């Protein structure tokens, strides 16, 4: 996946490193430009810009686990490199596809949350597309579980709603 | 961890996902939660616009979000030759149809669902088509209607039934047929016949459904005032409503204030005003109420033409464009309520967008220029996975879709593609037939035979195997059998390379200057049995024999006089030797066999005899003489030479036939500057012209007997096998009977050699004897062996005709 190819470019860039601290306490070193892609980190860095030594800054990201972050960082790095060059949209799309193709549903949800929290909109768009694609033929129950939504309908209400448009429930994939 | 994640998926992220879901999924996910329910309910559905591109090859559907000024691409359907017309777009539903065929397809462009409508009851069955009685045809128009009270979608079919003997479409369109009507309610399984409208409907524009009524303007050819025809979707009744007195021209219909509006842009240029007449009350029987609304355009843009409505939503917006043909520029939405306008940006449609909808992987494999393949595209349309589900669920399915827009399509799209597409279909079907029949060379086929095969049904490839004759240039999927034959043909052609060389040499010898245009050769490449790449594989390979003077001109390096013997010479020698005819009679004669029933006029025999004796410059003689002969007033001789040249050319071909048109490419090179077609017709005893299909093909009479070549050659045999394979589907037999016969004949031939005979193709005295012979019913029976192959056979013996005649006797 993306992480393997990005390791080489990591060393070549002489960018300043920023340390990100995940929800489970792990510290990850990233280039500053990558860190700036994350809204909370960006805000944090701006707030603490008077500090001379960037190396010393540790940005806490309390809502993102290290596992997700380590998935995210190479993607963002790669994506930044791609968009810096005058590459075709196709290439970016191909890259996105490659990134999302192997994601499990759980991972997808986690990434979506992280992307939302970190404000990485381009990733969020991609993930939304993928999610929509995955759930479009799924049952209501599946979607509730997938997105973690509580069913707040009474059984009667739900039955009534379902009766309104039975056609919509035709041809639903097995969960 | 997992539980935590699921609790925290923010609603706005979920809504992002929701936005890109298809309609069906959205409807389903209303049940997910109360927030989802209200969110989904609240979404305002966009305005859907449909338009075709300038070449009418694609139908685009765009959506324009509420309050947005940019259209986004919904889907693009490649126009289908069969289904090139569209109805109004109502709530995402649209029908694709064809005015002369019964095919109709409904699809929901929002959910991308395909609904297969049952076959219309107005079908001309094959039994009706006996071609002796009048021809029955239907011109169909479909209208899509929506009844808001019952939330029913109905498709109205008004077909004008024409009964005519003529097959001319133009004539039929002018002629008023009898209207017949049927209706299909979505959710049911069949069409219902209903009472026809009181008068024939002359369609000028697409109908518009508003407020539960389908409307269309009837313009009378007799220049009387146009009136509005109304069809009540619920009651299924027709009615006529008068237009306001001020409306004189044929104006566009729009939907305004949830009612029907007539858009009047006459004052647009002078006063920047548009006027909409709204039909407030239908007032059965003459009490209709129209309300006038005037709108002023207070915009500074200069518009050169009055705007044309393209589509309108029911929330008071109309989409207008300045140019009808395309939606490329100057598209704007005018809000009738706020009287505001916003320009709409139409995104360019990319290749990718087209793929979005159809599984165009298949479609891409079919070049769009072939009708044949487009037809398959139509099939793939229908094969789409979604079809089977919709049958029972349609009723409920359609009733709950919120209204989101209605579209008027340009009328031009249907008409233009129809006028070009429709007539094309028949020739193409016929051509298929033609190829197969010509080889049989059976002049006795009644013309109706061609006709019945040329009907639209011929193109239905569903039940006909796709083996094709190689010259029908649709390289589709061949069956393994055909594949083998094709390979075999290539193989045989390669093996017969030396023959091909001799053929080209002979042709070059015939030419005035010893040169030929390669393009002319390429045109009769198949006929001559040359490989596809003969330019390289033959002309290039035999550099000692051929030289390319120019890129396109081939020259013979040295004249090989040994070849310089026309095929007809062999026959003459035979005539002379075997029949003891005088040299005077035989020296310039041709074998002549008249067709059965050929009417001999007085003096014809004498004329023919004189013609046969007429000396001429033989094809392989030096060409300086040609000019002399021509100028010396010997035009008849010159003509006879042309006959000889064509005769020789035909003898050189594999199947002893060539398309007449192609001959004209040799006119200059062969110094036969005469009207080839006329010349051929002048000599019906030598040439047989088949007019089957779109082209004329000339056959050498003497080479054929009973629809088969008398002396088959390997390439011919292969091609016959292909033909038999092609005909399998039609004949419904698995036997290759024909082929067996050929084999038998050719086997027998060998056995008969040496038996000798007394009658070759007797022409001189007993020219017409064969006609009197009761046993000889075929027009092409009396023949002699003049093929460039098996020449030795004829030299040694009588000919196989002897055998045939004796066998028949």
């Amino acid at each position: 996946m993306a992480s393997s190819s990005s390791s080489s470019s990591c060393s070549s860039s002489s960018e300043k490193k920023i340390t990100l601290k995940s929800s489970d306490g792990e510290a990850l070193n990233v280039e500053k430009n990558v860190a700036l892609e994350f809204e909370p980190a960006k805000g944090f860095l701006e707030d603490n810009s008077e500090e001379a030594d960037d190396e010393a800054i540790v940005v806490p990201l309390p809502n993102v686990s290290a596992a997700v972050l380590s998935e995210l960082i190479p993607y963002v790095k790669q994506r930044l490199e791609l968009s810096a060059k005058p590459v075709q949209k196709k290439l970016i799309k191909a890259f996105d596809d490659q990134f999302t193709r192997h994601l499990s549903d759980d991972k997808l949800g986690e990434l979506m949350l992280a992307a939302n929290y970190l404000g990485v909109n381009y990733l969020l768009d991609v993930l939304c597309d993928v999610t929509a694609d995955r759930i479009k033929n799924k049952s209501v129950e599946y979607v509730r579980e997938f997105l973690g939504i509580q069913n707040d309908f009474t059984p009667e209400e739900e039955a009534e709603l379902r009766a309104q448009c039975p056609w919509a429930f035709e041809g639903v994939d097995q969960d | 961890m997992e539980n935590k994640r699921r609790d925290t998926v923010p609603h706005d992220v979920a809504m992002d996902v929701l936005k890109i879901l298809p309609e069906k999924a959205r409807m389903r996910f209303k049940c997910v939660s109360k927030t989802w329910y209200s969110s989904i309910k609240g979404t305002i559905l966009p305005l859907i616009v449909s338009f075709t591109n300038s070449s009418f090859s694609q139908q685009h559907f765009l959506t324009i979000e509420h309050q947005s000024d940019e259209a986004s691409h919904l889907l693009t359907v490649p126009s289908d030759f069969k289904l090139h017309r569209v109805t109004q777009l109502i709530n995402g539903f649209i029908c694709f149809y064809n005015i002369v065929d019964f095919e109709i397809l409904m699809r929901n462009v929002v959910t991308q669902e395909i609904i297969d409508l049952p076959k219309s009851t107005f079908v001309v069955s094959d039994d009706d088509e006996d071609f002796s009685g009048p021809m029955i045809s239907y011109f169909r128009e479909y209208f899509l209607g929506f009844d808001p009270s019952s939330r029913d979608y109905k498709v109205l079919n008004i077909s004008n039934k024409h009964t005519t003997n003529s097959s001319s479409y133009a004539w039929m369109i002018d002629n008023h047929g009898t209207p017949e009507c049927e209706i299909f309610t979505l959710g049911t399984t069949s069409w219902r016949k209903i009472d026809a409208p009181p008068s024939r409907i002359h369609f000028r524009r697409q109908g518009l459904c508003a407020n539960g009524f389908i409307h269309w303007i009837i313009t009378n050819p007799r220049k009387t005032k146009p009136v509005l025809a109304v069809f009540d979707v619920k009651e299924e009744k027709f009615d006529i409503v008068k237009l306001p007195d001020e409306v004189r021209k044929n104006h566009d219909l729009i939907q305004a204030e949830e009612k029907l509006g007539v858009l009047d842009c006459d004052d647009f240029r002078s006063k920047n005003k548009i006027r909409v007449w709204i039909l407030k009350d239908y007032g059965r029987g003459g009490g209709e109420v129209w309300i006038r609304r005037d709108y002023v355009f207070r915009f500074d843009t200069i518009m050169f033409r009055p705007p044309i409505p393209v589509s309108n939503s029911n929330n008071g917006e109309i989409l207008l464009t300045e140019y009808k043909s395309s939606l490329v520029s100057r598209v704007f939405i005018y809000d009738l309520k706020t009287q505001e306008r916003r320009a709409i940006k139409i995104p360019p449609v990319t290749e990718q967008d087209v793929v979005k909808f159809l599984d165009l992987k298949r479609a891409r494999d079919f070049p769009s220029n072939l009708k044949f393949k487009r037809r398959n595209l139509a099939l793939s349309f229908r094969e789409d996975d979604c079809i089977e589900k919709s049958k029972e669920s349609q009723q409920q399915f359609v009733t709950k879709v919120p209204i989101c827009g209605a579209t008027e399509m340009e009328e031009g799209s249907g008409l233009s593609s129809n006028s070009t597409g429709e007539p094309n279909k028949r020739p193409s079907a016929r051509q298929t037939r033609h190829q197969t029949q010509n080889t049989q060379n059976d002049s006795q086929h009644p013309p109706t035979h061609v006709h019945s095969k040329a009907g639209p049904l011929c193109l239905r490839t569903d039940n006909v195997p796709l083996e094709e004759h190689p010259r029908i240039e649709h390289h589709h999927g061949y069956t393994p059998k055909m594949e083998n034959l094709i390979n075999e043909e290539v193989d045989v052609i390669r093996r017969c390379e030396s023959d091909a060389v001799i053929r080209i040499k002979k042709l070059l010898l015939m030419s005035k200057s010893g040169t030929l245009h390669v393009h002319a050769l390429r045109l009769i490449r198949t006929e001559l049995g040359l490989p596809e790449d003969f330019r390289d594989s033959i002309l290039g390979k035999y550099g000692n024999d051929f030289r390319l003077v120019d890129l396109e001109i081939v020259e013979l390096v040295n004249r090989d006089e040994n070849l310089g013997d026309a095929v007809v010479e062999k026959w003459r020698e035979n005539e002379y030797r075997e029949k003891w005819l005088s040299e005077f009679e035989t020296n310039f004669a041709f074998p002549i066999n008249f067709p059965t029933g050929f009417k001999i006029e007085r003096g014809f025999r004498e004329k023919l005899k004189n013609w046969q004796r007429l000396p001429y410059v033989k094809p392989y003689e030096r060409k300086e003489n040609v000019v002399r002969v021509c100028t010396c007033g010997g035009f008849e001789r010159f003509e006879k030479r042309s006959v000889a040249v064509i005769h020789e050319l035909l003898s050189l071909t594999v199947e002893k036939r060539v398309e007449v048109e192609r001959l004209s490419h040799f006119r200059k090179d062969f110094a036969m500057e005469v009207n080839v077609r006329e010349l051929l017709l002048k000599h019906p005893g030598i040439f047989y012209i088949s007019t089957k299909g779109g082209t004329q093909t000339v056959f050498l009479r003497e080479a054929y007997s009973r629809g088969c070549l008398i002396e088959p050659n390997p390439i011919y045999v292969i091609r016959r096998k292909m033909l038999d394979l092609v005909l399998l589907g039609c004949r419904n037999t698995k036997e290759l009977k024909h082929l067996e016969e050929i084999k038998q004949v050719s086997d027998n031939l060998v056995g008969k050699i040496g038996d000798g005979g007394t009658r070759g193709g007797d022409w001189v005295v007993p020219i017409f004897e064969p006609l009197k012979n009761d046993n000889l019913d075929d027009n092409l029976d009396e023949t002699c062996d003049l093929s460039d192959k098996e020449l030795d056979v004829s030299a040694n013996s009588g000919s196989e005709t002897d055998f045939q005649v004796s066998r028949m006797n």
Side-chain angles (χ1 to χ4, degrees):
Chain A
M1 226 155 69
S3 55
S4 58
S5 54
S6 64
S7 55
S8 59
S9 62
C10 170
S11 56
S12 63
S13 70
S14 54
E15 286 278 335
K16 286 175 189 166
K17 297 274 182 167
I18 305 279
T19 310
L20 302 178
K21 199 179 164 208
S22 69
S23 60
D24 38 5
E26 259 183 72
L28 291 111
N29 271 354
V30 293
E31 284 85 347
K32 192 175 178 185
N33 63 341
V34 173
L36 285 176
E37 288 292 306
F38 303 139
E39 297 283 348
K42 196 179 169 191
F44 188 85
L45 286 173
E46 271 164 9
D47 290 346
N48 304 302
S49 55
E50 64 269 17
E51 287 214 32
D53 190 11
D54 280 323
E55 293 283 343
I57 301 176
V58 175
V59 183
L61 296 171
N63 284 336
V64 192
S65 70
V68 174
L69 257 186
S70 58
E71 198 96 59
L72 257 176
I73 289 163
Y75 171 81
V76 170
K77 202 183 287 176
Q78 199 90 335
R79 191 54 203 255
L80 276 178
E81 280 169 22
L82 269 177
S83 47
K85 285 178 251 166
V87 271
Q88 290 171 341
K89 274 189 180 161
K90 254 190 199 166
L91 270 175
I92 295 181
K93 204 182 171 304
F95 169 65
D96 287 340
D97 281 349
Q98 203 204 354
F99 178 68
T100 53
R101 194 178 305 147
H102 306 291
L103 290 178
S104 67
D105 287 353
D106 286 344
K107 202 86 186 168
L108 187 68
E110 284 171 35
L111 275 171
M112 206 146 79
L113 273 178
N116 186 48
Y117 168 70
L118 296 170
V120 190
N121 283 332
Y122 46 84
L123 176 62
L124 192 60
D125 287 352
V126 171
L127 293 172
C128 280
D129 275 349
V130 175
T131 312
D133 203 50
R134 288 197 188 173
I135 65 168
K136 73 179 173 197
N137 282 326
K138 297 289 197 250
S139 69
V140 172
E141 291 76 9
Y142 183 89
V143 172
R144 278 188 201 131
E145 211 205 339
F146 189 89
L147 295 171
I149 295 164
Q150 208 72 48
N151 179 15
D152 49 3
F153 282 118
T154 62
E156 292 81 20
E157 279 174 331
E158 195 181 335
E160 196 194 327
L161 262 179
R162 279 172 184 259
Q164 270 179 21
C165 45
W167 56 271
F169 296 87
E170 299 257 352
V172 173
D173 291 352
Q174 290 298 306
D175 293 346
Chain B
M1 175 66 210
E2 254 182 40
N3 286 335
K4 191 185 166 200
R5 171 184 70 84
R6 284 186 175 147
D7 287 340
T8 53
V9 165
H11 186 63
D12 51 351
V13 176
M15 284 304 107
D16 281 347
V17 174
L18 207 53
K19 258 187 225 156
I20 41 188
L21 281 172
E23 189 67 23
K24 191 174 167 180
R26 280 209 274 208
M27 291 298 120
R28 180 165 64 243
F29 296 156
K30 273 205 278 197
C31 307
V32 168
S33 74
K34 278 182 179 164
T35 7
W36 277 52
Y37 176 72
S38 55
S39 307
I40 292 167
K41 242 192 141 192
T43 31
I44 295 173
L45 281 160
L47 180 68
I48 306 176
V49 182
S50 89
F51 72 98
T52 54
N53 59 358
S54 48
S55 59
F56 306 113
S57 61
Q58 286 171 337
Q59 180 94 30
H60 303 291
F61 293 92
L62 302 168
T63 54
I64 301 165
E65 293 287 337
H66 190 59
Q67 303 285 314
S68 156
D69 55 3
E70 194 167 343
S72 56
H73 186 263
L74 186 66
L75 62 101
T76 293
V77 183
S79 247
D80 183 63
F81 160 67
K82 276 279 202 190
L83 306 159
H84 53 76
R85 289 198 139 198
V86 288
T87 61
Q88 186 191 357
L89 181 67
I90 301 176
N91 305 345
F93 286 96
I94 190 162
C95 292
F96 294 84
Y97 66 99
N98 178 321
I99 59 162
V100 291
D101 217 341
F102 51 78
E103 300 272 324
I104 175 165
L105 183 78
M106 194 185 209
R107 66 189 321 149
N108 186 328
V109 294
V110 180
T111 59
Q112 312 204 344
E113 187 147 1
I114 297 172
I115 299 140
D116 210 5
L117 299 190
K119 264 189 192 172
S120 161
T121 54
F122 305 148
V123 179
V124 185
S125 71
D126 282 339
D127 304 339
D128 296 349
E129 271 185 309
D130 60 352
F131 294 99
S132 55
M135 191 170 140
I136 296 163
S137 53
Y138 288 101
F139 279 81
R140 302 152 203 278
E141 282 294 343
Y142 292 92
F143 301 93
L144 187 58
F146 174 66
D147 175 18
S149 62
S150 66
R151 304 195 67 81
D152 269 344
Y153 288 84
K154 291 179 181 180
V155 183
L156 173 69
N157 170 13
I158 303 176
S159 291
N160 281 306
K161 183 181 178 180
H162 294 265
T163 314
T164 173
N165 286 312
S166 163
S167 57
S168 153
Y169 283 106
W171 188 81
M172 283 199 278
I173 287 161
D174 294 338
N175 184 33
H176 292 204
T178 9
E180 289 183 14
C181 255
E182 58 181 356
I183 200 156
F184 174 76
T185 311
L186 227 67
T188 60
T189 52
S190 63
W191 292 87
R192 274 178 296 121
K193 220 165 172 161
I194 57 164
D195 288 341
S199 64
R200 187 183 174 270
I201 286 153
H202 196 85
F203 307 105
R204 280 293 313 276
R205 301 219 171 177
Q206 206 180 34
L208 185 101
C209 178
N211 197 21
F213 293 87
I214 303 173
H215 312 80
W216 59 92
I217 288 179
I218 304 177
T219 42
N220 201 315
R222 284 186 294 277
K223 298 276 178 227
T224 51
K225 234 174 118 3
V227 286
L228 191 72
V230 177
F231 177 74
D232 187 330
V233 180
K234 192 179 181 185
E235 304 286 328
E236 298 175 2
K237 292 254 161 54
F238 289 93
D239 206 353
I240 298 282
V241 168
K242 267 190 273 172
L243 287 168
D245 288 340
E246 288 89 338
V247 177
R248 301 209 170 270
K249 285 194 213 152
N250 185 11
H251 289 296
D252 294 300
L253 299 179
I254 59 163
Q255 197 175 2
E257 299 175 21
E258 302 194 359
K259 298 203 166 52
L260 177 89
V262 179
L263 184 71
D264 173 357
C265 295
D266 287 352
D267 285 345
F268 182 78
R269 267 190 290 177
S270 54
K271 295 171 196 157
N272 251 7
K273 253 200 233 168
I274 58 167
R275 180 173 295 167
V276 178
W277 295 90
I278 293 163
L279 183 57
K280 202 87 186 166
D281 191 345
Y282 290 85
R284 291 284 152 80
E288 67 276 340
V289 181
W290 290 91
I291 297 172
R292 198 178 85 179
R293 296 251 192 273
D294 286 334
Y295 300 98
V296 184
F297 270 61
R298 292 154 302 173
F299 310 108
D300 45 0
T301 12
I302 301 155
M303 286 188 67
F304 301 101
R305 302 175 192 204
I308 300 147
V310 181
S311 168
N312 64 332
S313 66
N314 58 347
N315 55 359
E317 289 182 327
I318 40 173
L319 183 83
L320 299 167
T321 178
E322 192 177 357
Y323 299 104
K324 195 166 207 159
S325 57
S326 71
L327 274 186
V328 178
S329 62
R330 288 187 176 276
V331 182
F332 54 89
I333 281 183
Y334 184 75
D335 194 328
L336 294 176
K337 277 180 200 147
T338 61
Q339 305 204 2
E340 270 172 12
R341 184 194 71 161
R342 62 181 205 269
I344 300 295
K345 240 169 69 189
I346 305 285
V349 179
T350 60
E351 188 81 3
Q352 256 182 327
D353 295 326
V354 185
V355 188
K356 237 182 189 174
F357 178 51
L358 245 178
D359 174 19
L360 279 200
K361 225 179 108 256
R362 269 181 288 175
R364 275 217 200 95
D365 295 337
F366 301 127
S368 57
N369 56 345
L370 291 173
K371 312 280 188 255
F372 184 92
K373 296 182 175 173
R374 280 211 217 150
R375 157 79 199 156
N376 279 354
L377 203 60
L379 291 177
S380 71
F381 247 87
R382 316 222 260 105
E383 282 160 12
D384 236 300
D385 328 342
C386 355
I387 313 168
E388 70 274 1
K389 297 164 198 158
S390 43
K391 282 272 145 55
E392 290 82 23
S393 60
Q394 270 162 10
Q395 175 82 44
Q396 278 77 19
F397 171 50
V398 296
T399 53
K400 302 301 178 194
V401 179
I403 295 173
C404 53
T407 297
E408 200 182 338
M409 259 292 306
E410 301 121 302
E411 59 176 333
S413 66
L415 285 174
S416 77
S417 50
N418 176 41
S419 57
T420 56
E422 199 47 47
N424 278 351
K425 188 166 73 178
R426 288 175 173 254
S428 81
R430 236 184 248 160
Q431 191 133 18
T432 319
R433 186 67 196 161
H434 154 75
Q435 294 285 3
T436 58
Q437 281 191 347
N438 271 351
T439 336
Q440 285 178 302
N441 188 27
D442 191 351
S443 63
Q444 301 301 303
H445 265 305
T448 54
H449 206 86
V450 180
H451 219 89
S452 65
K453 286 293 171 187
L457 282 175
C458 188
L459 273 187
R460 295 189 66 92
T461 53
D462 334 8
N463 47 10
V464 179
L466 281 172
E467 298 107 343
E468 285 173 59
H469 207 250
R471 264 143 296 157
I472 310 164
E473 276 147 4
H474 305 147
H475 289 282
H476 210 283
Y478 290 122
T479 59
K481 243 188 209 167
M482 192 64 173
E483 200 87 57
N484 286 344
L485 280 178
I486 290 170
N487 293 338
E488 212 176 311
E489 190 195 13
V490 172
D491 214 49
V492 167
I493 287 175
R494 205 179 301 122
R495 269 191 274 130
C496 297
E497 202 176 73
S498 58
D499 290 329
V501 173
I502 291 170
R503 281 189 190 128
I504 300 175
K505 269 189 188 169
K506 284 194 156 195
L507 285 176
L508 283 164
L509 274 174
M510 271 204 284
S511 121
K512 192 169 62 182
S513 52
T515 58
L516 270 182
H517 284 87
V518 179
H519 84 89
L521 279 180
R522 192 172 295 129
L523 280 175
I524 58 163
R525 180 188 67 214
T526 340
E527 283 84 351
L528 288 175
L530 302 181
E532 293 273 320
D533 56 342
F534 74 96
R535 197 165 182 268
D536 299 321
S537 66
I538 299 219
L539 300 185
K541 191 174 166 191
Y542 295 88
N544 294 336
D545 298 314
F546 310 112
R547 177 173 53 215
L548 284 168
V549 185
D550 195 351
L551 212 60
E552 276 294 288
I553 293 174
V554 61
E555 194 187 40
L556 199 59
V557 174
N558 39 36
R559 292 180 69 91
D560 182 358
E561 297 299 337
N562 290 340
L563 289 167
D565 232 357
V567 173
V568 70
E569 300 289 324
K570 307 270 178 187
W571 173 80
R572 282 172 192 158
E573 206 181 311
N574 190 39
E575 288 285 298
Y576 175 67
R577 289 228 180 115
E578 307 285 334
K579 294 199 193 158
W580 302 94
L581 295 162
S582 71
E583 198 166 322
F584 171 66
E585 296 283 357
T586 54
N587 217 0
F588 298 102
F590 281 92
I592 285 178
N593 310 285
F594 283 109
T596 330
F598 184 80
K599 208 175 158 218
I600 303 143
E601 282 164 36
R602 254 198 19 220
F604 182 83
R605 260 174 221 237
E606 196 60 33
K607 253 168 114 181
L608 185 77
K609 211 168 183 174
N610 284 338
W611 186 83
Q612 290 278 43
R613 288 170 179 171
L614 186 75
Y616 66 96
V617 182
K618 292 184 176 165
Y620 296 120
E621 281 179 59
R622 296 301 295 166
K623 300 302 150 353
E624 293 84 67
N625 303 329
V626 178
V627 187
R628 192 173 48 93
V629 166
C630 195
T631 47
C632 284
F635 185 68
E636 282 192 344
R637 292 182 187 194
F638 180 70
E639 255 195 9
K640 191 165 176 184
R641 186 189 157 265
S642 303
V643 171
V645 169
I646 295 171
H647 183 281
E648 184 63 19
L649 181 84
L650 283 172
S651 309
L652 288 177
T653 57
V654 175
E655 290 164 279
K656 313 297 173 209
R657 66 184 186 111
V658 79
E659 270 175 47
V660 176
E661 270 171 28
R662 312 240 150 127
L663 283 177
S664 54
H665 293 271
F666 291 98
R667 279 176 56 192
K668 267 237 170 69
D669 286 333
F670 287 165
M672 46 172 202
E673 271 141 74
V674 288
N675 186 331
V676 174
R677 194 165 283 126
E678 245 171 52
L679 188 75
L680 295 175
L681 287 170
K682 253 191 195 171
H683 300 281
I686 305 172
F687 307 115
Y688 169 78
I689 296 183
S690 157
T691 51
K692 293 201 174 115
T695 56
Q696 298 177 330
T697 314
V698 57
F699 289 78
L700 202 57
R701 248 178 220 284
E702 66 198 52
Y704 277 87
S705 171
R706 311 194 165 271
C708 292
L709 214 56
I710 293 164
E711 289 174 64
N713 52 54
I715 301 173
Y716 173 77
V717 169
I718 295 281
R719 288 187 184 161
R720 274 316 281 244
K721 279 186 197 166
M722 288 181 183
L723 181 70
D724 280 319
L725 207 51
V726 172
L727 293 179
L728 261 187
C730 313
R731 290 209 215 104
N732 245 341
T733 165
K734 293 279 175 223
E735 297 286 312
L736 295 173
K737 274 185 200 153
H738 235 69
L739 195 72
E740 288 306 316
E741 274 171 27
I742 298 166
K743 251 195 195 147
Q744 211 179 357
V745 169
S746 56
D747 286 346
N748 284 335
L749 278 183
V750 181
K752 283 282 171 177
I753 291 171
D755 279 13
T758 47
R759 290 160 46 176
D762 18 348
W763 62 272
V764 183
V765 183
I767 301 174
F768 303 107
E769 202 183 24
L771 300 183
K772 293 169 205 148
N773 193 334
D774 292 336
N775 292 332
L776 302 179
D777 49 347
D778 204 288
N779 57 320
L780 291 163
D781 48 1
E782 275 302 285
T783 43
C784 53
D785 47 335
L786 291 170
S787 158
D788 49 337
K789 316 216 110 216
E790 300 188 32
L791 287 176
D792 45 342
V793 173
S794 60
N796 295 340
S797 68
S799 67
E800 77 278 20
T801 20
D802 301 338
F803 154 68
Q804 284 191 341
V805 169
S806 59
R807 202 171 61 144
M808 281 179 279
N809 288 336

